[in-house]
Short mmCIF file of all heavy atoms in Angstrom, two decimals:
data_model
loop_
_atom_site.label_atom_id
_atom_site.label_comp_id
_atom_site.label_asym_id
_atom_site.label_seq_id
_atom_site.Cartn_x
_atom_site.Cartn_y
_atom_site.Cartn_z
N HIS A 1463 81.07 87.96 106.16
CA HIS A 1463 81.92 86.77 106.19
C HIS A 1463 81.18 85.49 106.53
O HIS A 1463 81.53 84.42 106.07
CB HIS A 1463 83.13 86.98 107.09
CG HIS A 1463 82.75 86.98 108.51
ND1 HIS A 1463 82.29 88.13 109.17
CD2 HIS A 1463 82.75 85.98 109.47
CE1 HIS A 1463 82.05 87.80 110.47
NE2 HIS A 1463 82.29 86.55 110.64
N VAL A 1466 79.63 84.11 103.45
CA VAL A 1466 80.55 83.37 102.61
C VAL A 1466 80.71 81.91 103.15
O VAL A 1466 80.75 80.93 102.42
CB VAL A 1466 81.92 84.06 102.55
CG1 VAL A 1466 82.96 83.30 101.73
CG2 VAL A 1466 81.78 85.47 102.07
N GLN A 1467 80.84 81.84 104.48
CA GLN A 1467 81.01 80.62 105.15
C GLN A 1467 79.75 79.70 104.91
O GLN A 1467 79.81 78.50 104.99
CB GLN A 1467 81.18 80.71 106.69
CG GLN A 1467 82.59 81.36 106.96
CD GLN A 1467 82.64 81.84 108.37
OE1 GLN A 1467 81.73 81.79 109.19
NE2 GLN A 1467 83.78 82.51 108.76
N GLN A 1478 88.94 93.44 93.59
CA GLN A 1478 89.28 93.64 95.07
C GLN A 1478 90.23 92.46 95.43
O GLN A 1478 89.84 91.40 95.72
CB GLN A 1478 88.06 93.55 95.85
CG GLN A 1478 86.98 94.57 95.61
CD GLN A 1478 87.45 95.95 96.02
OE1 GLN A 1478 88.34 96.11 96.85
NE2 GLN A 1478 86.84 97.00 95.49
N LEU A 1479 91.49 92.81 95.28
CA LEU A 1479 92.50 91.76 95.57
C LEU A 1479 93.46 92.29 96.66
O LEU A 1479 93.34 93.36 97.18
CB LEU A 1479 93.20 91.49 94.29
CG LEU A 1479 92.35 90.81 93.16
CD1 LEU A 1479 93.04 90.89 91.87
CD2 LEU A 1479 91.95 89.44 93.54
N PHE A 1480 94.46 91.46 96.97
CA PHE A 1480 95.50 91.84 97.95
C PHE A 1480 96.66 92.17 97.15
O PHE A 1480 97.42 91.30 96.83
CB PHE A 1480 95.71 90.71 98.94
CG PHE A 1480 94.43 90.14 99.55
CD1 PHE A 1480 94.07 88.80 99.45
CD2 PHE A 1480 93.62 90.92 100.30
CE1 PHE A 1480 92.94 88.35 100.02
CE2 PHE A 1480 92.42 90.48 100.88
CZ PHE A 1480 92.09 89.14 100.75
N PRO A 1481 96.97 93.46 96.99
CA PRO A 1481 97.99 93.91 96.03
C PRO A 1481 99.36 93.32 96.41
O PRO A 1481 100.15 93.03 95.46
CB PRO A 1481 97.96 95.46 96.13
CG PRO A 1481 96.97 95.82 97.23
CD PRO A 1481 96.22 94.61 97.60
N GLU A 1482 99.69 93.20 97.69
CA GLU A 1482 101.02 92.78 98.00
C GLU A 1482 101.15 91.27 98.31
O GLU A 1482 102.14 90.84 98.89
CB GLU A 1482 101.62 93.61 99.13
CG GLU A 1482 102.23 94.89 98.56
CD GLU A 1482 102.07 96.12 99.48
OE1 GLU A 1482 102.15 95.85 100.75
OE2 GLU A 1482 101.77 97.23 99.00
N MET A 1483 100.13 90.54 97.93
CA MET A 1483 100.18 89.07 98.12
C MET A 1483 100.21 88.44 96.81
O MET A 1483 99.84 89.04 95.82
CB MET A 1483 98.99 88.57 98.98
CG MET A 1483 99.12 88.90 100.49
SD MET A 1483 97.56 88.67 101.42
CE MET A 1483 97.21 86.97 101.11
N LEU A 1491 95.01 81.29 100.83
CA LEU A 1491 94.31 81.79 101.99
C LEU A 1491 92.78 81.54 101.92
O LEU A 1491 92.23 81.08 102.94
CB LEU A 1491 94.50 83.32 102.10
CG LEU A 1491 93.90 84.02 103.29
CD1 LEU A 1491 94.44 83.58 104.59
CD2 LEU A 1491 94.06 85.50 103.13
N GLU A 1495 90.94 79.36 104.63
CA GLU A 1495 89.88 79.84 105.43
C GLU A 1495 88.64 78.92 105.27
O GLU A 1495 87.97 78.65 106.28
CB GLU A 1495 89.49 81.24 104.97
CG GLU A 1495 90.50 82.29 105.30
CD GLU A 1495 90.53 82.59 106.79
OE1 GLU A 1495 89.62 82.38 107.53
OE2 GLU A 1495 91.62 83.05 107.29
N HIS A 1499 91.14 76.65 108.67
CA HIS A 1499 92.44 76.77 109.24
C HIS A 1499 92.87 78.23 109.53
O HIS A 1499 94.00 78.46 109.84
CB HIS A 1499 93.54 76.12 108.32
CG HIS A 1499 93.27 74.67 107.99
ND1 HIS A 1499 93.03 73.73 108.90
CD2 HIS A 1499 93.09 74.12 106.75
CE1 HIS A 1499 92.77 72.55 108.28
NE2 HIS A 1499 92.80 72.78 107.01
N GLY A 1500 91.93 79.10 109.25
CA GLY A 1500 92.30 80.52 109.24
C GLY A 1500 92.80 81.11 110.55
O GLY A 1500 93.57 82.06 110.52
N GLU A 1502 94.65 79.39 112.68
CA GLU A 1502 95.78 78.62 113.24
C GLU A 1502 97.06 79.51 113.12
O GLU A 1502 97.51 79.74 112.12
CB GLU A 1502 95.93 77.34 112.41
CG GLU A 1502 94.76 76.42 112.71
CD GLU A 1502 94.74 75.17 111.83
OE1 GLU A 1502 95.68 74.99 111.02
OE2 GLU A 1502 93.75 74.38 111.95
N TRP A 1503 97.58 79.86 114.31
CA TRP A 1503 98.72 80.77 114.37
C TRP A 1503 99.99 80.03 114.62
O TRP A 1503 101.08 80.65 114.53
CB TRP A 1503 98.46 81.76 115.43
CG TRP A 1503 98.19 81.29 116.79
CD1 TRP A 1503 96.99 81.04 117.38
CD2 TRP A 1503 99.12 80.84 117.74
NE1 TRP A 1503 97.05 80.48 118.58
CE2 TRP A 1503 98.36 80.32 118.85
CE3 TRP A 1503 100.55 80.84 117.77
CZ2 TRP A 1503 99.06 79.83 120.01
CZ3 TRP A 1503 101.15 80.31 118.92
CH2 TRP A 1503 100.43 79.79 119.99
N TRP A 1504 99.89 78.81 114.95
CA TRP A 1504 101.05 78.02 115.41
C TRP A 1504 101.72 77.27 114.25
O TRP A 1504 102.81 76.73 114.33
CB TRP A 1504 100.72 77.09 116.51
CG TRP A 1504 99.59 76.10 116.07
CD1 TRP A 1504 99.78 74.94 115.48
CD2 TRP A 1504 98.21 76.32 116.14
NE1 TRP A 1504 98.59 74.30 115.17
CE2 TRP A 1504 97.60 75.15 115.58
CE3 TRP A 1504 97.42 77.35 116.68
CZ2 TRP A 1504 96.25 75.08 115.53
CZ3 TRP A 1504 96.03 77.23 116.60
CH2 TRP A 1504 95.43 76.01 116.02
N ARG A 1505 101.10 77.19 113.09
CA ARG A 1505 101.50 76.41 112.00
C ARG A 1505 101.98 77.31 110.82
O ARG A 1505 101.42 78.41 110.69
CB ARG A 1505 100.31 75.59 111.51
CG ARG A 1505 100.63 74.25 110.89
CD ARG A 1505 99.40 73.42 110.72
NE ARG A 1505 98.23 74.15 110.26
CZ ARG A 1505 98.07 74.66 109.05
NH1 ARG A 1505 99.03 74.50 108.17
NH2 ARG A 1505 96.95 75.32 108.70
N ALA A 1507 102.07 78.71 107.25
CA ALA A 1507 101.18 78.67 106.06
C ALA A 1507 101.89 77.86 104.96
O ALA A 1507 103.11 77.93 104.78
CB ALA A 1507 100.95 80.09 105.53
N ARG A 1511 98.84 69.98 103.20
CA ARG A 1511 98.88 69.51 101.84
C ARG A 1511 97.52 69.75 101.09
O ARG A 1511 97.47 70.09 99.98
CB ARG A 1511 99.18 67.92 101.89
CG ARG A 1511 99.28 67.33 100.52
CD ARG A 1511 99.84 65.95 100.64
NE ARG A 1511 101.22 65.98 100.93
CZ ARG A 1511 102.19 65.83 100.03
NH1 ARG A 1511 101.81 65.62 98.78
NH2 ARG A 1511 103.44 65.88 100.36
N ILE A 1514 97.32 73.34 99.83
CA ILE A 1514 98.24 73.63 98.73
C ILE A 1514 97.76 72.93 97.45
O ILE A 1514 97.68 73.52 96.36
CB ILE A 1514 99.64 73.13 99.05
CG1 ILE A 1514 100.14 73.85 100.31
CG2 ILE A 1514 100.54 73.48 97.90
CD1 ILE A 1514 100.38 75.28 100.16
N ASP A 1515 97.37 71.67 97.58
CA ASP A 1515 97.00 70.92 96.41
C ASP A 1515 95.75 71.55 95.72
O ASP A 1515 95.70 71.77 94.51
CB ASP A 1515 96.65 69.44 96.81
CG ASP A 1515 97.93 68.67 97.04
OD1 ASP A 1515 98.95 69.24 96.78
OD2 ASP A 1515 97.89 67.55 97.51
N GLY A 1531 103.72 83.10 91.98
CA GLY A 1531 104.64 83.64 92.98
C GLY A 1531 104.93 85.15 92.85
O GLY A 1531 105.71 85.71 93.59
N GLU A 1546 90.62 87.33 90.42
CA GLU A 1546 89.36 87.73 91.11
C GLU A 1546 88.31 86.64 91.13
O GLU A 1546 87.68 86.40 92.13
CB GLU A 1546 88.88 89.00 90.40
CG GLU A 1546 87.50 89.60 90.83
CD GLU A 1546 87.57 90.42 92.15
OE1 GLU A 1546 88.68 90.89 92.43
OE2 GLU A 1546 86.56 90.47 92.83
N VAL A 1549 89.63 83.45 93.23
CA VAL A 1549 89.47 83.57 94.66
C VAL A 1549 88.03 83.19 95.12
O VAL A 1549 87.81 82.46 96.11
CB VAL A 1549 89.76 84.95 95.16
CG1 VAL A 1549 89.69 85.07 96.69
CG2 VAL A 1549 91.12 85.41 94.69
N PRO B 1216 103.00 71.78 89.92
CA PRO B 1216 102.65 73.04 90.55
C PRO B 1216 102.49 73.00 91.96
O PRO B 1216 102.86 74.00 92.74
CB PRO B 1216 101.35 73.38 89.80
CG PRO B 1216 101.37 72.58 88.54
CD PRO B 1216 102.15 71.33 88.86
N ALA B 1217 101.87 71.93 92.52
CA ALA B 1217 101.59 71.82 93.94
C ALA B 1217 102.91 71.76 94.74
O ALA B 1217 103.05 72.52 95.76
CB ALA B 1217 100.73 70.64 94.24
N ALA B 1220 104.45 75.14 94.57
CA ALA B 1220 103.72 76.07 95.48
C ALA B 1220 104.21 75.80 96.91
O ALA B 1220 104.40 76.76 97.70
CB ALA B 1220 102.24 75.83 95.35
N ARG B 1221 104.37 74.52 97.25
CA ARG B 1221 104.73 74.25 98.69
C ARG B 1221 106.13 74.87 98.93
O ARG B 1221 106.37 75.47 99.99
CB ARG B 1221 104.79 72.70 98.90
CG ARG B 1221 104.51 72.31 100.31
CD ARG B 1221 104.16 70.77 100.36
NE ARG B 1221 102.99 70.48 99.69
CZ ARG B 1221 102.80 69.47 98.77
NH1 ARG B 1221 103.82 68.75 98.38
NH2 ARG B 1221 101.66 69.33 98.20
N MET B 1223 107.53 77.32 97.43
CA MET B 1223 107.42 78.77 97.41
C MET B 1223 107.00 79.30 98.76
O MET B 1223 107.56 80.28 99.26
CB MET B 1223 106.44 79.19 96.36
CG MET B 1223 106.81 80.36 95.47
SD MET B 1223 105.54 80.45 94.19
CE MET B 1223 106.46 80.02 92.72
N LEU B 1224 105.97 78.69 99.33
CA LEU B 1224 105.47 79.16 100.61
C LEU B 1224 106.43 78.89 101.74
O LEU B 1224 106.60 79.71 102.63
CB LEU B 1224 104.10 78.46 100.88
CG LEU B 1224 102.94 79.00 100.10
CD1 LEU B 1224 101.71 78.14 100.27
CD2 LEU B 1224 102.63 80.45 100.40
N ARG B 1400 106.69 83.27 113.97
CA ARG B 1400 105.87 82.09 113.73
C ARG B 1400 104.47 82.58 113.31
O ARG B 1400 103.90 82.12 112.35
CB ARG B 1400 105.82 81.28 115.01
CG ARG B 1400 105.17 79.93 114.80
CD ARG B 1400 106.12 78.97 114.17
NE ARG B 1400 105.42 77.78 113.74
CZ ARG B 1400 106.04 76.77 113.20
NH1 ARG B 1400 107.32 76.92 112.86
NH2 ARG B 1400 105.37 75.74 112.79
N HIS B 1403 103.93 84.16 109.86
CA HIS B 1403 104.03 83.22 108.76
C HIS B 1403 102.97 82.12 108.76
O HIS B 1403 103.02 81.16 108.05
CB HIS B 1403 105.46 82.64 108.66
CG HIS B 1403 106.48 83.58 108.20
ND1 HIS B 1403 107.53 84.02 108.94
CD2 HIS B 1403 106.61 84.24 107.00
CE1 HIS B 1403 108.23 84.89 108.30
NE2 HIS B 1403 107.73 85.05 107.09
N SER B 1404 102.04 82.25 109.72
CA SER B 1404 100.97 81.22 109.86
C SER B 1404 99.79 81.61 108.99
O SER B 1404 99.75 82.73 108.48
CB SER B 1404 100.54 81.15 111.33
OG SER B 1404 99.82 82.31 111.68
N PRO B 1405 98.83 80.70 108.88
CA PRO B 1405 97.59 81.08 108.08
C PRO B 1405 96.94 82.28 108.77
O PRO B 1405 96.44 83.19 108.04
CB PRO B 1405 96.71 79.85 108.28
CG PRO B 1405 97.71 78.74 108.46
CD PRO B 1405 98.84 79.32 109.21
N PHE B 1406 97.04 82.39 110.09
CA PHE B 1406 96.42 83.55 110.78
C PHE B 1406 97.19 84.78 110.40
O PHE B 1406 96.55 85.88 110.12
CB PHE B 1406 96.48 83.28 112.31
CG PHE B 1406 96.10 84.53 113.10
CD1 PHE B 1406 94.77 84.89 113.25
CD2 PHE B 1406 97.14 85.20 113.76
CE1 PHE B 1406 94.52 86.06 113.96
CE2 PHE B 1406 96.85 86.35 114.51
CZ PHE B 1406 95.45 86.78 114.63
N SER B 1409 96.17 85.92 107.01
CA SER B 1409 94.92 86.53 106.99
C SER B 1409 94.96 87.95 107.51
O SER B 1409 94.19 88.82 107.07
CB SER B 1409 93.90 85.74 107.84
OG SER B 1409 94.08 85.97 109.16
N ALA B 1412 96.03 90.07 104.74
CA ALA B 1412 94.85 90.20 103.82
C ALA B 1412 93.91 91.28 104.37
O ALA B 1412 93.42 92.15 103.60
CB ALA B 1412 94.10 88.89 103.74
N GLN B 1415 95.39 94.67 103.79
CA GLN B 1415 95.43 95.14 102.33
C GLN B 1415 94.13 95.35 101.75
O GLN B 1415 93.97 96.21 100.85
CB GLN B 1415 96.28 94.10 101.52
CG GLN B 1415 97.71 94.18 101.86
CD GLN B 1415 98.49 93.12 101.20
OE1 GLN B 1415 98.30 92.77 100.02
NE2 GLN B 1415 99.57 92.58 101.78
N ASN B 1416 93.08 94.59 102.13
CA ASN B 1416 91.76 94.86 101.51
C ASN B 1416 90.74 94.10 102.41
O ASN B 1416 90.39 92.94 102.15
CB ASN B 1416 91.75 94.22 100.13
CG ASN B 1416 90.52 94.63 99.38
OD1 ASN B 1416 89.50 95.02 99.98
ND2 ASN B 1416 90.52 94.56 98.04
N LEU B 1418 87.58 94.48 102.54
CA LEU B 1418 86.42 94.15 101.75
C LEU B 1418 86.55 92.73 101.16
O LEU B 1418 85.67 91.86 101.34
CB LEU B 1418 86.17 95.18 100.63
CG LEU B 1418 84.95 94.97 99.77
CD1 LEU B 1418 83.72 95.13 100.56
CD2 LEU B 1418 84.94 95.99 98.66
N ARG B 1419 87.72 92.48 100.59
CA ARG B 1419 87.90 91.14 99.93
C ARG B 1419 88.09 90.17 101.04
O ARG B 1419 87.75 88.99 100.92
CB ARG B 1419 89.10 91.22 99.04
CG ARG B 1419 89.68 89.81 98.58
CD ARG B 1419 88.58 88.93 97.98
NE ARG B 1419 88.25 89.29 96.62
CZ ARG B 1419 87.32 88.61 95.96
NH1 ARG B 1419 86.63 87.67 96.54
NH2 ARG B 1419 87.11 88.93 94.69
N ARG B 1421 86.72 89.90 103.91
CA ARG B 1421 85.36 89.51 104.32
C ARG B 1421 84.79 88.60 103.26
O ARG B 1421 84.12 87.61 103.58
CB ARG B 1421 84.45 90.73 104.50
CG ARG B 1421 84.71 91.41 105.80
CD ARG B 1421 83.60 92.43 106.11
NE ARG B 1421 84.02 93.33 107.16
CZ ARG B 1421 84.60 94.53 106.92
NH1 ARG B 1421 84.81 94.91 105.68
NH2 ARG B 1421 85.00 95.23 107.90
N ILE B 1423 86.12 86.50 101.49
CA ILE B 1423 86.57 85.09 101.38
C ILE B 1423 86.33 84.42 102.75
O ILE B 1423 86.85 83.39 103.17
CB ILE B 1423 88.05 84.89 101.03
CG1 ILE B 1423 89.02 85.70 101.95
CG2 ILE B 1423 88.28 85.36 99.61
CD1 ILE B 1423 90.45 85.38 101.67
N GLY B 1424 85.42 85.07 103.57
CA GLY B 1424 84.95 84.42 104.77
C GLY B 1424 85.76 84.70 106.07
O GLY B 1424 85.61 84.06 107.05
N ILE B 1425 86.63 85.73 105.97
CA ILE B 1425 87.42 86.08 107.15
C ILE B 1425 86.68 87.12 108.00
O ILE B 1425 86.12 88.09 107.53
CB ILE B 1425 88.73 86.78 106.69
CG1 ILE B 1425 89.57 85.74 105.95
CG2 ILE B 1425 89.46 87.38 107.87
CD1 ILE B 1425 90.92 86.33 105.45
N SER B 1426 86.54 86.80 109.33
CA SER B 1426 86.01 87.71 110.27
C SER B 1426 86.97 88.79 110.60
O SER B 1426 87.89 88.57 111.46
CB SER B 1426 85.47 87.01 111.51
OG SER B 1426 85.13 87.97 112.49
N ARG B 1430 89.84 88.90 113.93
CA ARG B 1430 91.28 88.89 113.65
C ARG B 1430 92.01 90.13 114.25
O ARG B 1430 93.07 90.05 114.83
CB ARG B 1430 91.64 88.83 112.14
CG ARG B 1430 90.96 87.68 111.44
CD ARG B 1430 91.53 86.34 111.85
NE ARG B 1430 90.64 85.20 111.56
CZ ARG B 1430 90.69 84.51 110.43
NH1 ARG B 1430 91.55 84.76 109.54
NH2 ARG B 1430 89.76 83.60 110.25
#
Side-chain angles (χ1 to χ4, degrees):
Chain A
H1463 71 275
V1466 180
Q1467 292 164 3
Q1478 296 293 339
L1479 295 166
F1480 307 123
E1482 275 146 39
M1483 283 167 59
L1491 180 65
E1495 289 290 336
H1499 306 304
E1502 293 174 2
W1503 55 265
W1504 57 89
R1505 209 167 42 69
R1511 182 169 288 262
I1514 302 291
D1515 287 352
E1546 174 80 22
V1549 186
Chain B
R1221 207 165 296 131
M1223 224 175 246
L1224 287 171
R1400 187 79 189 178
H1403 287 116
S1404 71
F1406 171 74
S1409 79
Q1415 291 176 32
N1416 191 340
L1418 182 62
R1419 167 54 80 184
R1421 284 191 194 93
I1423 58 174
I1425 294 174
S1426 168
R1430 305 290 158 95

